[in-house]
Amino acid sequence: MRKALKIFSVIFVLLVGVVVTGIAILGSMDFNRYKGLITDEVKKFTGRDLTIDGDLKFEISLNPAIAVEGVTFANASWGSRPEMMKLKRMAAEVSLIPLLSGALVVDRLVLEGLDLLAETNAKGRGNWEFQAAAPPGKVPAKSAEGGGLGVLPVVKKVRIRNVKVTYRDGVKGETTKLALDSMDLGADSAGSPLNFSVVGTLNGAPYKASGQLGAIGALLKGGGAYPVSIKAEAFKAVVGVSGSINDPLKKPVLNVTVSAKGGELANTVKAAGILVPGLRKIALPPIGPYDVSALITGTPNMLSAANIKVSYGGSDISGNLTANLGGARPRVNANFASNLLNLDKLLPPGGAKGAPPSRSDGRVFSSDPLPLDGLKAADAKINFKGRRVVMQGLNLNDVNVSLSLVNGNLKVSPFSLAAAGGKINGAVSLNSNSSWPPLAVKVNVKQVDYGALLEKFVQSNIAAGKVDINIDIKGAGKSVRAIMAGLGGKTRIVTKGGKIRSGFLNIVSANVLSALPFIDSKGDKNIKCGVIDFRIKAG
């Protein structure tokens, strides 16, 4: 037994001696000697120069560490600056024990001072497209049979600081700048959830995000549900995404709840104009706090939004929507409902300001072409029901609108609502496919209190009563002027039991009124019965 123990002791001492000797040899090596080899190999595969100005450092311990500083990678010859990438420092710390079993575990990866430029030239070629993808006469080796990624490295913690990524679109002439002030990622293993937090700016606008994603191993393997939970603050809004994405890298299928809320939509739109310049032209009135949420399911070509909830300034909208984006023309089906929809907060009285004036030649109706081509951009079927809709200060109750747009043929049928004590219903159709697009309008008004409308819009009680109106007209043309010039149809207005106030009669001669048989001649004038019935022909 003693002899065996002596043998094992000798073997152990020898092993320790070999390890210590190996560490001493590795520790005494100057790894900077390999910088030339590294840069030569990069040159072969990319055709670009890689420069390492700093030292290559390698520390031997139970957690070996390697670090490199001062790295630059050349840009394409046509690029806007000499370097495609500049890196101040990168360091990685690896666990030694897992290496003995063939596993690569990176305890910590640090990246500092990365400046990356991705750009395209005027022909759309990217600076990431290398001229020499492989050494001359050689073909890149194929992956092992069965594909896959082999042994997946485990990176437990990633710490990124002071990173700048710039994308220049040489075709459009647009530049997007992303800055990562700090980014921290962490996962215990390839099968563990990934926690992250990010702080930075996008085109100068601050943002921050945090949350938890599924395991990297599950993401790369694919085929299953990949959990997502993200909360982000950007453009003066708080955005949330939670749920799962099935097979996100190959055939993504969404099942996520998305939400966005903020103090003022106008501030969010203005802030987002830094990224999308076209938004700067949109002038929105103050509407108060807003909150939007929906459950998004389906594929990128066939999406559904259920449990849609929108609220702003006391108004609310709820419903569902499906969108088929895979065909030649998108198709949208939607159903919406609202208890209160205040359009005046979105479109204040008088309409949007700052719009360019239309061409005018002194005539009443404009000859500007109607935007009929937009009706051919998509197909849609939309239904809306609103208990109360506020427009131009008028309360519209029990609003029911069904809209259909198929291959440029627009139909609003039926529409109905209650206003000023009466009811209004009708239908509108417009077919943009014709060379001379036909328009048809039918409107039926029953017992609407015109006295209340006069008080609302004229701020005068010059008359009181209720009216029935029937309108059935048709026209055709590519402008309002053309439609009105060929307008045809009939209109009937009927009122009885109404009244014209005496104050208004001080302006209008009593002798004129006495000639009208349906109006008496004392004090306030009662309208016994009034009918206006006329036909419209050729405008």
Side-chain angles (χ1 to χ4, degrees), residues 299-303 321-332 378:
T299 66
N301 287 335
M302 182 68 76
L303 288 173
L321 178 149
T322 61
N324 184 347
L325 307 177
R329 187 169 53 247
R331 296 198 306 272
V332 177

Side-chain angles (χ1 to χ4, degrees), residues 28 162 200 204 233 258 301 347 354 374 385 427 462 464 509 528:
S28 63
N162 190 25
E233 296 182 29
V258 297
N301 287 335
L347 302 172
K385 293 183 178 181
I462 59 176
S509 170
K528 298 175 182 178

Side-chain angles (χ1 to χ4, degrees), residues 415-435:
F415 72 83
S416 62
L417 58 93
K423 294 184 178 181
I424 303 172
N425 63 75
V428 178
S429 65
L430 174 63
N431 192 344
S432 65
N433 290 304
S434 173
S435 58

Side-chain angles (χ1 to χ4, degrees), residues 186-207:
D188 293 334
S189 67
S192 300
L194 176 66
N195 297 296
F196 73 94
S197 64
V198 183
V199 177
T201 60
L202 180 59
N203 280 356
Y207 71 86

Side-chain angles (χ1 to χ4, degrees), residues 93-225:
E93 187 177 283
V94 181
S95 292
L96 182 60
I97 301 301
L99 286 174
L100 301 177
S101 60
L104 177 58
V105 177
V106 180
D107 289 326
R108 189 168 61 118
L109 177 63
V110 177
L111 192 67
E112 294 181 0
L114 173 65
D115 185 354
L116 175 65
L117 171 64
E119 60 181 337
T120 60
N121 60 17
K123 296 182 180 180
R125 179 181 176 86
N127 65 342
W128 55 87
E129 299 178 34
F130 304 124
Q131 294 178 350
K138 292 186 179 181
V139 179
K142 295 182 179 180
S143 60
E145 185 178 353
L149 297 171
V151 178
L152 185 69
V154 177
V155 182
K156 292 185 176 181
K157 290 184 180 180
V158 177
R159 186 176 186 182
I160 298 175
R161 296 291 184 269
N162 190 25
V163 170
K164 297 178 181 179
V165 179
T166 303
Y167 175 70
R168 294 183 66 256
D169 190 326
V171 178
K172 297 181 179 179
E174 299 174 350
T175 300
T176 302
K177 295 182 179 181
L178 173 69
L180 290 175
D181 297 336
S182 66
M183 181 175 183
D184 292 286
L185 308 172
D188 293 334
S189 67
S192 300
L194 176 66
N195 297 296
F196 73 94
S197 64
V198 183
V199 177
T201 60
L202 180 59
N203 280 356
Y207 71 86
K208 62 180 179 179
S210 61
Q212 186 179 83
L213 305 176
I216 296 297
L219 175 66
L220 299 177
K221 182 179 179 181

Side-chain angles (χ1 to χ4, degrees), residues 5 35 39 205 213 231 241 254 336 474 509 519 522 536 539:
L5 288 175
K35 289 198 296 185
T39 56
L213 305 176
K231 180 181 179 181
V241 179
L254 301 176
F336 296 111
K474 295 180 180 179
S509 170
I519 300 179
K522 295 181 180 180
I536 305 170

